Amino acid sequence: MEAMVASAVGVLTAAGLYLVLRLRTFPVIIGLSLLTYAVNVFLFGSGGLVVNEPPIWHEHDNSYTDPLPQALVLTAIVISFGMTAVSVVIALAAYLSGDDDSINMTPGEAEDDAP
Amino acid sequence: MSHWIIVPVVLPALLAAFIVLLCRFNLTVQRALSTAGTAVMVVIATGLMLRAGTGAIDVYELGDWPAPFGIVLVADRLATMMVLLTSVLALAVVLYVIGTGWDKRGRHFHALFQFQLMGVCGAFLTGDAFNLFVFFEVLLIASYGLMIHSGGPVRLRAGMQYVVYNLLGSTLFLFALGTIYAVTGTLNMADLADRVAQLPTDDTALLRVGATLLILVFAVKAAVLPLHFWLPASYSNAPAPVAALFAIMTKVGAYAMLRFLTLVFPPDLEATQGLFDFWLQPAAMLTLIAGMVGVLGARRLDRLAAFAVIGSMGTLLTSISLLTPQGTQAALFYILHSTFASATLFLIVGLVQAGRGGAGGRIEALAPIARNGLVAGLFFISAIALSGVPPLSGFVGKLMVLDAARAASGPYWPVWTAILVTSLIAIVGFARAGSTVFWKANESAAAAAHPEAPPATGLSIVAIGGIMVLLVALTVLAGPVMAFMGETTDQLYNTTGYISAVLGDGEAAQ
């Protein structure tokens, strides 16, 4: 199971990084969300992988799963969801106002704009 | 347990929600609330700093959960000083925004501004590594909104780059925290320091990976050289007052680095030996060189200011990377100076751009703006401060960094060469930009060619002047300020005080 989860994190991260390096905003955002999935699974595993145990310690039964990573993942999911939504909105606004969805800025643009 | 510690986090949060919900159509009320809230923040932060100045480390346990289990806010000298710095800067920026009318050019400026303050103050006060991540996200998501305030295609695309870069940084932050949690089983900073010190020395590979990732994340925030590419485009395209407020955001990265390199991974810790000392200092010096060469090569005023920020972060990080108490003391002084100096430069550049109307911030001789002499004088003072020429605090700060480098082990000539040569480059860069924009303007066309642009209002001049008075005060009172920084440094390196303040309460409550 460890090998499966570890390779899942690895594949997600690799795919995410590849997409983040693309030139258009849409694949970049998909890549970012793949990366956040990868980090969520990674955080989940950071307390150790335990199957079929409650996240509560009990004095007669010593087997439990670490509850803290679950709380961390919950926070991370909420934050990454919100961040992805914001990046989609900004990307859309940039595309609609500039009619161009490439992520890089040519030097000429940065030099000559008049805000 | 004093509840005042959490006020710098709760007050802006409540105020922002209040502004959005109840007075989003009434700009006057928004301005009044935002100014009043920020002024109250200054007063509270001053009170907190006076309390921490006695040497007390106050701990606030959220929800009254004892320390290693719940989240704590810790008000020590460094944290309260940074909160005070943030609120003073914010007050000046609010006055400037009202004076120039930036908040009329888009919706929700003041609400986002307050949320940003909440995130920055929370990041300084928190004593929990995961909570630090959460506050980083709060300040970032507010900064995304502020960065693209008033829109425009170029600004939106610069904003997109900024968002993507920072989301990558956040992902890296989570990977680092997960690794550190897997090794130590805690994310409370004091508990972390305790457990990292007790880790068996032959089993530290994973911890070293986590520590390096974490410092890399802070290096992204602080714009250290190979990771600085996000800064010039985003800061130069952000609205001027927002860029001035962002002067504190790079300092958040420097603060987090300082906190972790003294508390959790102190220089004498065996587990992380040789991890930071060999790359941090060269990277910091390269940052300094890249920043100041950028000042010389910039073709726009706003990019010049952005590169000046990178340069002053380079000086600051060079001082931090000495990893000695004297270096830290000099770095703390330089944080104050660099925040104020770079903020004024952005505000002045904003005045020039507004005065030129649609002509923008290119460094070329256009017709003089209204109140050309006054703005030129302000630019001159700000340039003196940023390039580190006497008589302002930049000179004092650089002198102390040089002195700290001389006292540190290892050769000091690379640091001296980097700082002194880049100072010269910065002087040339600022002189070229200033003389072209302000002096040659008078020769080129005597007639005022920007009738559509209103002259700078009194309030924005007052805001810039106020920060400059603080810069002068920092120079005149450098002795007392350095004494305070010395005490702060002692507190930082004497980690048992911090650890027992946080964990001691927890044990008593159990």
Side-chain angles (χ1 to χ4, degrees), chain B residues 82-116:
Chain B
M82 296 304 289
V83 170
L84 182 61
L85 175 65
T86 310
S87 42
V88 169
L89 178 70
L91 187 60
V93 171
V94 164
L95 292 181
Y96 180 90
V97 164
I98 295 173
T100 50
W102 263 104
D103 48 358
K104 282 186 224 159
R105 303 191 200 173
R107 295 272 195 88
H108 303 308
F109 183 91
H110 290 289
L112 287 168
F113 187 83
Q114 295 294 328
F115 274 129
Q116 168 101 52

PDB file of all heavy atoms in Angstrom, chain B residues 82-116:
ATOM      1  N   MET B  82       7.493  43.485  14.496  1.00  0.00           N
ATOM      2  CA  MET B  82       7.058  43.370  13.112  1.00  0.00           C
ATOM      3  C   MET B  82       5.601  43.792  12.957  1.00  0.00           C
ATOM      4  O   MET B  82       5.216  44.396  11.952  1.00  0.00           O
ATOM      5  CB  MET B  82       7.235  41.936  12.609  1.00  0.00           C
ATOM      6  CG  MET B  82       8.649  41.443  12.555  1.00  0.00           C
ATOM      7  SD  MET B  82       9.758  42.454  11.583  1.00  0.00           S
ATOM      8  CE  MET B  82       9.195  42.116   9.942  1.00  0.00           C
ATOM      9  N   VAL B  83       4.768  43.490  13.959  1.00  0.00           N
ATOM     10  CA  VAL B  83       3.367  43.907  13.887  1.00  0.00           C
ATOM     11  C   VAL B  83       3.273  45.428  13.900  1.00  0.00           C
ATOM     12  O   VAL B  83       2.509  46.032  13.134  1.00  0.00           O
ATOM     13  CB  VAL B  83       2.557  43.287  15.046  1.00  0.00           C
ATOM     14  CG1 VAL B  83       1.174  43.900  15.123  1.00  0.00           C
ATOM     15  CG2 VAL B  83       2.456  41.788  14.871  1.00  0.00           C
ATOM     16  N   LEU B  84       4.099  46.059  14.758  1.00  0.00           N
ATOM     17  CA  LEU B  84       4.083  47.520  14.815  1.00  0.00           C
ATOM     18  C   LEU B  84       4.542  48.110  13.482  1.00  0.00           C
ATOM     19  O   LEU B  84       3.927  49.045  12.945  1.00  0.00           O
ATOM     20  CB  LEU B  84       4.985  48.006  15.957  1.00  0.00           C
ATOM     21  CG  LEU B  84       5.015  49.519  16.141  1.00  0.00           C
ATOM     22  CD1 LEU B  84       3.637  50.051  16.460  1.00  0.00           C
ATOM     23  CD2 LEU B  84       5.994  49.928  17.220  1.00  0.00           C
ATOM     24  N   LEU B  85       5.599  47.522  12.922  1.00  0.00           N
ATOM     25  CA  LEU B  85       6.100  47.991  11.621  1.00  0.00           C
ATOM     26  C   LEU B  85       4.998  47.891  10.567  1.00  0.00           C
ATOM     27  O   LEU B  85       4.762  48.833   9.795  1.00  0.00           O
ATOM     28  CB  LEU B  85       7.302  47.136  11.227  1.00  0.00           C
ATOM     29  CG  LEU B  85       7.922  47.364   9.858  1.00  0.00           C
ATOM     30  CD1 LEU B  85       8.511  48.747   9.791  1.00  0.00           C
ATOM     31  CD2 LEU B  85       8.988  46.322   9.566  1.00  0.00           C
ATOM     32  N   THR B  86       4.292  46.755  10.555  1.00  0.00           N
ATOM     33  CA  THR B  86       3.218  46.562   9.581  1.00  0.00           C
ATOM     34  C   THR B  86       2.134  47.612   9.735  1.00  0.00           C
ATOM     35  O   THR B  86       1.685  48.209   8.748  1.00  0.00           O
ATOM     36  CB  THR B  86       2.583  45.169   9.781  1.00  0.00           C
ATOM     37  OG1 THR B  86       3.601  44.204   9.837  1.00  0.00           O
ATOM     38  CG2 THR B  86       1.616  44.853   8.684  1.00  0.00           C
ATOM     39  N   SER B  87       1.710  47.868  10.976  1.00  0.00           N
ATOM     40  CA  SER B  87       0.577  48.773  11.136  1.00  0.00           C
ATOM     41  C   SER B  87       0.975  50.220  10.837  1.00  0.00           C
ATOM     42  O   SER B  87       0.158  50.970  10.292  1.00  0.00           O
ATOM     43  CB  SER B  87      -0.042  48.627  12.529  1.00  0.00           C
ATOM     44  OG  SER B  87       0.937  48.513  13.502  1.00  0.00           O
ATOM     45  N   VAL B  88       2.213  50.599  11.164  1.00  0.00           N
ATOM     46  CA  VAL B  88       2.647  51.967  10.831  1.00  0.00           C
ATOM     47  C   VAL B  88       2.680  52.152   9.313  1.00  0.00           C
ATOM     48  O   VAL B  88       2.167  53.137   8.766  1.00  0.00           O
ATOM     49  CB  VAL B  88       4.036  52.249  11.447  1.00  0.00           C
ATOM     50  CG1 VAL B  88       4.604  53.536  10.901  1.00  0.00           C
ATOM     51  CG2 VAL B  88       3.943  52.335  12.950  1.00  0.00           C
ATOM     52  N   LEU B  89       3.257  51.142   8.627  1.00  0.00           N
ATOM     53  CA  LEU B  89       3.313  51.207   7.163  1.00  0.00           C
ATOM     54  C   LEU B  89       1.897  51.259   6.586  1.00  0.00           C
ATOM     55  O   LEU B  89       1.605  52.036   5.668  1.00  0.00           O
ATOM     56  CB  LEU B  89       4.068  49.992   6.625  1.00  0.00           C
ATOM     57  CG  LEU B  89       4.157  49.895   5.110  1.00  0.00           C
ATOM     58  CD1 LEU B  89       5.070  50.968   4.586  1.00  0.00           C
ATOM     59  CD2 LEU B  89       4.647  48.526   4.674  1.00  0.00           C
ATOM     60  N   ALA B  90       1.001  50.440   7.154  1.00  0.00           N
ATOM     61  CA  ALA B  90      -0.369  50.376   6.639  1.00  0.00           C
ATOM     62  C   ALA B  90      -1.068  51.720   6.802  1.00  0.00           C
ATOM     63  O   ALA B  90      -1.816  52.146   5.916  1.00  0.00           O
ATOM     64  CB  ALA B  90      -1.139  49.279   7.371  1.00  0.00           C
ATOM     65  N   LEU B  91      -0.817  52.392   7.934  1.00  0.00           N
ATOM     66  CA  LEU B  91      -1.457  53.689   8.151  1.00  0.00           C
ATOM     67  C   LEU B  91      -1.027  54.684   7.068  1.00  0.00           C
ATOM     68  O   LEU B  91      -1.859  55.386   6.470  1.00  0.00           O
ATOM     69  CB  LEU B  91      -1.100  54.213   9.548  1.00  0.00           C
ATOM     70  CG  LEU B  91      -1.823  55.474   9.979  1.00  0.00           C
ATOM     71  CD1 LEU B  91      -3.324  55.246   9.998  1.00  0.00           C
ATOM     72  CD2 LEU B  91      -1.354  55.929  11.348  1.00  0.00           C
ATOM     73  N   ALA B  92       0.280  54.716   6.790  1.00  0.00           N
ATOM     74  CA  ALA B  92       0.771  55.618   5.749  1.00  0.00           C
ATOM     75  C   ALA B  92       0.157  55.279   4.400  1.00  0.00           C
ATOM     76  O   ALA B  92      -0.240  56.166   3.633  1.00  0.00           O
ATOM     77  CB  ALA B  92       2.292  55.551   5.683  1.00  0.00           C
ATOM     78  N   VAL B  93       0.051  53.963   4.104  1.00  0.00           N
ATOM     79  CA  VAL B  93      -0.478  53.558   2.812  1.00  0.00           C
ATOM     80  C   VAL B  93      -1.962  53.933   2.692  1.00  0.00           C
ATOM     81  O   VAL B  93      -2.402  54.400   1.631  1.00  0.00           O
ATOM     82  CB  VAL B  93      -0.266  52.037   2.594  1.00  0.00           C
ATOM     83  CG1 VAL B  93      -1.002  51.561   1.373  1.00  0.00           C
ATOM     84  CG2 VAL B  93       1.211  51.736   2.455  1.00  0.00           C
ATOM     85  N   VAL B  94      -2.716  53.772   3.778  1.00  0.00           N
ATOM     86  CA  VAL B  94      -4.138  54.135   3.728  1.00  0.00           C
ATOM     87  C   VAL B  94      -4.289  55.626   3.430  1.00  0.00           C
ATOM     88  O   VAL B  94      -5.103  56.031   2.592  1.00  0.00           O
ATOM     89  CB  VAL B  94      -4.843  53.767   5.050  1.00  0.00           C
ATOM     90  CG1 VAL B  94      -6.167  54.484   5.161  1.00  0.00           C
ATOM     91  CG2 VAL B  94      -5.067  52.287   5.118  1.00  0.00           C
ATOM     92  N   LEU B  95      -3.468  56.462   4.112  1.00  0.00           N
ATOM     93  CA  LEU B  95      -3.560  57.906   3.881  1.00  0.00           C
ATOM     94  C   LEU B  95      -3.230  58.230   2.422  1.00  0.00           C
ATOM     95  O   LEU B  95      -3.895  59.036   1.780  1.00  0.00           O
ATOM     96  CB  LEU B  95      -2.597  58.649   4.820  1.00  0.00           C
ATOM     97  CG  LEU B  95      -2.974  58.588   6.299  1.00  0.00           C
ATOM     98  CD1 LEU B  95      -1.976  59.370   7.122  1.00  0.00           C
ATOM     99  CD2 LEU B  95      -4.379  59.134   6.516  1.00  0.00           C
ATOM    100  N   TYR B  96      -2.201  57.550   1.891  1.00  0.00           N
ATOM    101  CA  TYR B  96      -1.817  57.782   0.500  1.00  0.00           C
ATOM    102  C   TYR B  96      -2.937  57.381  -0.451  1.00  0.00           C
ATOM    103  O   TYR B  96      -3.243  58.094  -1.416  1.00  0.00           O
ATOM    104  CB  TYR B  96      -0.549  56.977   0.215  1.00  0.00           C
ATOM    105  CG  TYR B  96      -0.019  57.123  -1.192  1.00  0.00           C
ATOM    106  CD1 TYR B  96       0.888  58.121  -1.511  1.00  0.00           C
ATOM    107  CD2 TYR B  96      -0.423  56.252  -2.191  1.00  0.00           C
ATOM    108  CE1 TYR B  96       1.387  58.251  -2.791  1.00  0.00           C
ATOM    109  CE2 TYR B  96       0.069  56.375  -3.483  1.00  0.00           C
ATOM    110  CZ  TYR B  96       0.968  57.374  -3.777  1.00  0.00           C
ATOM    111  OH  TYR B  96       1.444  57.498  -5.041  1.00  0.00           O
ATOM    112  N   VAL B  97      -3.557  56.247  -0.156  1.00  0.00           N
ATOM    113  CA  VAL B  97      -4.638  55.757  -1.015  1.00  0.00           C
ATOM    114  C   VAL B  97      -5.784  56.752  -1.045  1.00  0.00           C
ATOM    115  O   VAL B  97      -6.347  57.068  -2.106  1.00  0.00           O
ATOM    116  CB  VAL B  97      -5.122  54.376  -0.518  1.00  0.00           C
ATOM    117  CG1 VAL B  97      -6.460  54.031  -1.122  1.00  0.00           C
ATOM    118  CG2 VAL B  97      -4.113  53.321  -0.862  1.00  0.00           C
ATOM    119  N   ILE B  98      -6.109  57.300   0.145  1.00  0.00           N
ATOM    120  CA  ILE B  98      -7.200  58.275   0.189  1.00  0.00           C
ATOM    121  C   ILE B  98      -6.784  59.551  -0.548  1.00  0.00           C
ATOM    122  O   ILE B  98      -7.565  60.138  -1.304  1.00  0.00           O
ATOM    123  CB  ILE B  98      -7.576  58.576   1.658  1.00  0.00           C
ATOM    124  CG1 ILE B  98      -8.129  57.307   2.294  1.00  0.00           C
ATOM    125  CG2 ILE B  98      -8.592  59.698   1.751  1.00  0.00           C
ATOM    126  CD1 ILE B  98      -8.389  57.405   3.761  1.00  0.00           C
ATOM    127  N   GLY B  99      -5.513  59.954  -0.362  1.00  0.00           N
ATOM    128  CA  GLY B  99      -5.028  61.174  -1.000  1.00  0.00           C
ATOM    129  C   GLY B  99      -5.023  61.081  -2.514  1.00  0.00           C
ATOM    130  O   GLY B  99      -5.296  62.053  -3.208  1.00  0.00           O
ATOM    131  N   THR B 100      -4.684  59.897  -3.049  1.00  0.00           N
ATOM    132  CA  THR B 100      -4.586  59.777  -4.499  1.00  0.00           C
ATOM    133  C   THR B 100      -5.847  59.223  -5.141  1.00  0.00           C
ATOM    134  O   THR B 100      -5.937  59.204  -6.371  1.00  0.00           O
ATOM    135  CB  THR B 100      -3.421  58.839  -4.877  1.00  0.00           C
ATOM    136  OG1 THR B 100      -3.554  57.643  -4.108  1.00  0.00           O
ATOM    137  CG2 THR B 100      -2.086  59.473  -4.587  1.00  0.00           C
ATOM    138  N   GLY B 101      -6.784  58.734  -4.317  1.00  0.00           N
ATOM    139  CA  GLY B 101      -8.027  58.220  -4.881  1.00  0.00           C
ATOM    140  C   GLY B 101      -7.894  56.862  -5.552  1.00  0.00           C
ATOM    141  O   GLY B 101      -8.705  56.506  -6.400  1.00  0.00           O
ATOM    142  N   TRP B 102      -6.864  56.075  -5.171  1.00  0.00           N
ATOM    143  CA  TRP B 102      -6.713  54.748  -5.772  1.00  0.00           C
ATOM    144  C   TRP B 102      -7.911  53.859  -5.454  1.00  0.00           C
ATOM    145  O   TRP B 102      -8.245  52.966  -6.230  1.00  0.00           O
ATOM    146  CB  TRP B 102      -5.437  54.064  -5.258  1.00  0.00           C
ATOM    147  CG  TRP B 102      -4.285  54.228  -6.188  1.00  0.00           C
ATOM    148  CD1 TRP B 102      -3.232  55.068  -6.030  1.00  0.00           C
ATOM    149  CD2 TRP B 102      -4.061  53.547  -7.422  1.00  0.00           C
ATOM    150  NE1 TRP B 102      -2.371  54.954  -7.086  1.00  0.00           N
ATOM    151  CE2 TRP B 102      -2.860  54.025  -7.959  1.00  0.00           C
ATOM    152  CE3 TRP B 102      -4.771  52.572  -8.134  1.00  0.00           C
ATOM    153  CZ2 TRP B 102      -2.338  53.568  -9.162  1.00  0.00           C
ATOM    154  CZ3 TRP B 102      -4.257  52.116  -9.337  1.00  0.00           C
ATOM    155  CH2 TRP B 102      -3.052  52.611  -9.840  1.00  0.00           C
ATOM    156  N   ASP B 103      -8.524  54.094  -4.280  1.00  0.00           N
ATOM    157  CA  ASP B 103      -9.612  53.192  -3.886  1.00  0.00           C
ATOM    158  C   ASP B 103     -10.877  53.435  -4.698  1.00  0.00           C
ATOM    159  O   ASP B 103     -11.822  52.661  -4.623  1.00  0.00           O
ATOM    160  CB  ASP B 103      -9.900  53.320  -2.379  1.00  0.00           C
ATOM    161  CG  ASP B 103     -10.028  54.761  -1.949  1.00  0.00           C
ATOM    162  OD1 ASP B 103      -9.852  55.649  -2.806  1.00  0.00           O
ATOM    163  OD2 ASP B 103     -10.296  55.007  -0.759  1.00  0.00           O
ATOM    164  N   LYS B 104     -10.911  54.535  -5.497  1.00  0.00           N
ATOM    165  CA  LYS B 104     -12.082  54.781  -6.349  1.00  0.00           C
ATOM    166  C   LYS B 104     -12.012  53.990  -7.638  1.00  0.00           C
ATOM    167  O   LYS B 104     -12.989  53.881  -8.364  1.00  0.00           O
ATOM    168  CB  LYS B 104     -12.147  56.265  -6.718  1.00  0.00           C
ATOM    169  CG  LYS B 104     -12.692  57.151  -5.623  1.00  0.00           C
ATOM    170  CD  LYS B 104     -12.845  58.563  -6.158  1.00  0.00           C
ATOM    171  CE  LYS B 104     -12.346  59.569  -5.156  1.00  0.00           C
ATOM    172  NZ  LYS B 104     -12.013  60.841  -5.754  1.00  0.00           N
ATOM    173  N   ARG B 105     -10.816  53.470  -7.972  1.00  0.00           N
ATOM    174  CA  ARG B 105     -10.632  52.868  -9.288  1.00  0.00           C
ATOM    175  C   ARG B 105     -11.025  51.401  -9.333  1.00  0.00           C
ATOM    176  O   ARG B 105     -10.765  50.726 -10.316  1.00  0.00           O
ATOM    177  CB  ARG B 105      -9.181  52.997  -9.710  1.00  0.00           C
ATOM    178  CG  ARG B 105      -8.737  54.432  -9.702  1.00  0.00           C
ATOM    179  CD  ARG B 105      -7.406  54.558 -10.378  1.00  0.00           C
ATOM    180  NE  ARG B 105      -6.755  55.792  -9.987  1.00  0.00           N
ATOM    181  CZ  ARG B 105      -5.523  56.091 -10.324  1.00  0.00           C
ATOM    182  NH1 ARG B 105      -4.817  55.229 -11.014  1.00  0.00           N
ATOM    183  NH2 ARG B 105      -4.990  57.230  -9.941  1.00  0.00           N
ATOM    184  N   GLY B 106     -11.574  50.880  -8.283  1.00  0.00           N
ATOM    185  CA  GLY B 106     -12.013  49.493  -8.282  1.00  0.00           C
ATOM    186  C   GLY B 106     -12.776  49.249  -7.007  1.00  0.00           C
ATOM    187  O   GLY B 106     -12.807  50.118  -6.139  1.00  0.00           O
ATOM    188  N   ARG B 107     -13.405  48.086  -6.911  1.00  0.00           N
ATOM    189  CA  ARG B 107     -14.204  47.810  -5.722  1.00  0.00           C
ATOM    190  C   ARG B 107     -13.356  47.191  -4.614  1.00  0.00           C
ATOM    191  O   ARG B 107     -12.340  46.588  -4.867  1.00  0.00           O
ATOM    192  CB  ARG B 107     -15.307  46.802  -6.089  1.00  0.00           C
ATOM    193  CG  ARG B 107     -16.317  47.326  -7.075  1.00  0.00           C
ATOM    194  CD  ARG B 107     -17.420  48.035  -6.333  1.00  0.00           C
ATOM    195  NE  ARG B 107     -18.586  48.265  -7.180  1.00  0.00           N
ATOM    196  CZ  ARG B 107     -19.560  47.380  -7.312  1.00  0.00           C
ATOM    197  NH1 ARG B 107     -19.500  46.237  -6.686  1.00  0.00           N
ATOM    198  NH2 ARG B 107     -20.591  47.658  -8.075  1.00  0.00           N
ATOM    199  N   HIS B 108     -13.842  47.330  -3.386  1.00  0.00           N
ATOM    200  CA  HIS B 108     -13.382  46.535  -2.246  1.00  0.00           C
ATOM    201  C   HIS B 108     -11.909  46.731  -1.893  1.00  0.00           C
ATOM    202  O   HIS B 108     -11.279  45.830  -1.374  1.00  0.00           O
ATOM    203  CB  HIS B 108     -13.613  45.043  -2.493  1.00  0.00           C
ATOM    204  CG  HIS B 108     -15.045  44.707  -2.773  1.00  0.00           C
ATOM    205  ND1 HIS B 108     -16.071  45.094  -1.962  1.00  0.00           N
ATOM    206  CD2 HIS B 108     -15.597  44.028  -3.789  1.00  0.00           C
ATOM    207  CE1 HIS B 108     -17.208  44.674  -2.459  1.00  0.00           C
ATOM    208  NE2 HIS B 108     -16.958  44.023  -3.583  1.00  0.00           N
ATOM    209  N   PHE B 109     -11.349  47.907  -2.177  1.00  0.00           N
ATOM    210  CA  PHE B 109      -9.935  48.072  -1.832  1.00  0.00           C
ATOM    211  C   PHE B 109      -9.725  47.928  -0.328  1.00  0.00           C
ATOM    212  O   PHE B 109      -8.850  47.192   0.124  1.00  0.00           O
ATOM    213  CB  PHE B 109      -9.428  49.438  -2.303  1.00  0.00           C
ATOM    214  CG  PHE B 109      -7.960  49.628  -2.043  1.00  0.00           C
ATOM    215  CD1 PHE B 109      -7.034  49.284  -2.998  1.00  0.00           C
ATOM    216  CD2 PHE B 109      -7.516  50.128  -0.831  1.00  0.00           C
ATOM    217  CE1 PHE B 109      -5.684  49.422  -2.762  1.00  0.00           C
ATOM    218  CE2 PHE B 109      -6.165  50.267  -0.573  1.00  0.00           C
ATOM    219  CZ  PHE B 109      -5.256  49.917  -1.544  1.00  0.00           C
ATOM    220  N   HIS B 110     -10.555  48.639   0.446  1.00  0.00           N
ATOM    221  CA  HIS B 110     -10.292  48.686   1.887  1.00  0.00           C
ATOM    222  C   HIS B 110     -10.533  47.342   2.563  1.00  0.00           C
ATOM    223  O   HIS B 110      -9.809  46.974   3.492  1.00  0.00           O
ATOM    224  CB  HIS B 110     -11.135  49.778   2.535  1.00  0.00           C
ATOM    225  CG  HIS B 110     -10.680  51.149   2.146  1.00  0.00           C
ATOM    226  ND1 HIS B 110      -9.512  51.690   2.595  1.00  0.00           N
ATOM    227  CD2 HIS B 110     -11.215  52.066   1.311  1.00  0.00           C
ATOM    228  CE1 HIS B 110      -9.344  52.891   2.078  1.00  0.00           C
ATOM    229  NE2 HIS B 110     -10.367  53.146   1.289  1.00  0.00           N
ATOM    230  N   ALA B 111     -11.534  46.591   2.080  1.00  0.00           N
ATOM    231  CA  ALA B 111     -11.787  45.271   2.664  1.00  0.00           C
ATOM    232  C   ALA B 111     -10.586  44.354   2.429  1.00  0.00           C
ATOM    233  O   ALA B 111     -10.087  43.709   3.359  1.00  0.00           O
ATOM    234  CB  ALA B 111     -13.046  44.676   2.055  1.00  0.00           C
ATOM    235  N   LEU B 112     -10.114  44.322   1.171  1.00  0.00           N
ATOM    236  CA  LEU B 112      -8.952  43.478   0.869  1.00  0.00           C
ATOM    237  C   LEU B 112      -7.731  43.922   1.662  1.00  0.00           C
ATOM    238  O   LEU B 112      -6.939  43.107   2.140  1.00  0.00           O
ATOM    239  CB  LEU B 112      -8.649  43.540  -0.631  1.00  0.00           C
ATOM    240  CG  LEU B 112      -9.620  42.788  -1.519  1.00  0.00           C
ATOM    241  CD1 LEU B 112      -9.405  43.155  -2.973  1.00  0.00           C
ATOM    242  CD2 LEU B 112      -9.439  41.304  -1.331  1.00  0.00           C
ATOM    243  N   PHE B 113      -7.611  45.241   1.800  1.00  0.00           N
ATOM    244  CA  PHE B 113      -6.477  45.794   2.536  1.00  0.00           C
ATOM    245  C   PHE B 113      -6.473  45.294   3.982  1.00  0.00           C
ATOM    246  O   PHE B 113      -5.445  44.878   4.520  1.00  0.00           O
ATOM    247  CB  PHE B 113      -6.584  47.322   2.488  1.00  0.00           C
ATOM    248  CG  PHE B 113      -5.411  48.045   3.064  1.00  0.00           C
ATOM    249  CD1 PHE B 113      -4.291  48.260   2.300  1.00  0.00           C
ATOM    250  CD2 PHE B 113      -5.442  48.511   4.351  1.00  0.00           C
ATOM    251  CE1 PHE B 113      -3.205  48.927   2.830  1.00  0.00           C
ATOM    252  CE2 PHE B 113      -4.364  49.179   4.884  1.00  0.00           C
ATOM    253  CZ  PHE B 113      -3.242  49.390   4.118  1.00  0.00           C
ATOM    254  N   GLN B 114      -7.651  45.294   4.609  1.00  0.00           N
ATOM    255  CA  GLN B 114      -7.735  44.832   5.999  1.00  0.00           C
ATOM    256  C   GLN B 114      -7.452  43.337   6.103  1.00  0.00           C
ATOM    257  O   GLN B 114      -6.805  42.879   7.043  1.00  0.00           O
ATOM    258  CB  GLN B 114      -9.107  45.160   6.590  1.00  0.00           C
ATOM    259  CG  GLN B 114      -9.384  46.648   6.728  1.00  0.00           C
ATOM    260  CD  GLN B 114      -8.477  47.311   7.747  1.00  0.00           C
ATOM    261  OE1 GLN B 114      -8.072  46.700   8.717  1.00  0.00           O
ATOM    262  NE2 GLN B 114      -8.149  48.567   7.520  1.00  0.00           N
ATOM    263  N   PHE B 115      -7.958  42.567   5.115  1.00  0.00           N
ATOM    264  CA  PHE B 115      -7.665  41.128   5.133  1.00  0.00           C
ATOM    265  C   PHE B 115      -6.160  40.886   5.000  1.00  0.00           C
ATOM    266  O   PHE B 115      -5.597  39.999   5.643  1.00  0.00           O
ATOM    267  CB  PHE B 115      -8.409  40.405   4.010  1.00  0.00           C
ATOM    268  CG  PHE B 115      -9.798  39.995   4.380  1.00  0.00           C
ATOM    269  CD1 PHE B 115     -10.877  40.298   3.579  1.00  0.00           C
ATOM    270  CD2 PHE B 115     -10.030  39.288   5.554  1.00  0.00           C
ATOM    271  CE1 PHE B 115     -12.160  39.925   3.933  1.00  0.00           C
ATOM    272  CE2 PHE B 115     -11.303  38.905   5.911  1.00  0.00           C
ATOM    273  CZ  PHE B 115     -12.369  39.219   5.092  1.00  0.00           C
ATOM    274  N   GLN B 116      -5.531  41.700   4.175  1.00  0.00           N
ATOM    275  CA  GLN B 116      -4.087  41.571   4.008  1.00  0.00           C
ATOM    276  C   GLN B 116      -3.369  41.841   5.331  1.00  0.00           C
ATOM    277  O   GLN B 116      -2.466  41.103   5.728  1.00  0.00           O
ATOM    278  CB  GLN B 116      -3.624  42.562   2.950  1.00  0.00           C
ATOM    279  CG  GLN B 116      -2.148  42.745   2.872  1.00  0.00           C
ATOM    280  CD  GLN B 116      -1.531  41.988   1.727  1.00  0.00           C
ATOM    281  OE1 GLN B 116      -1.976  42.116   0.604  1.00  0.00           O
ATOM    282  NE2 GLN B 116      -0.541  41.206   2.016  1.00  0.00           N
TER     283      GLN B 116
END
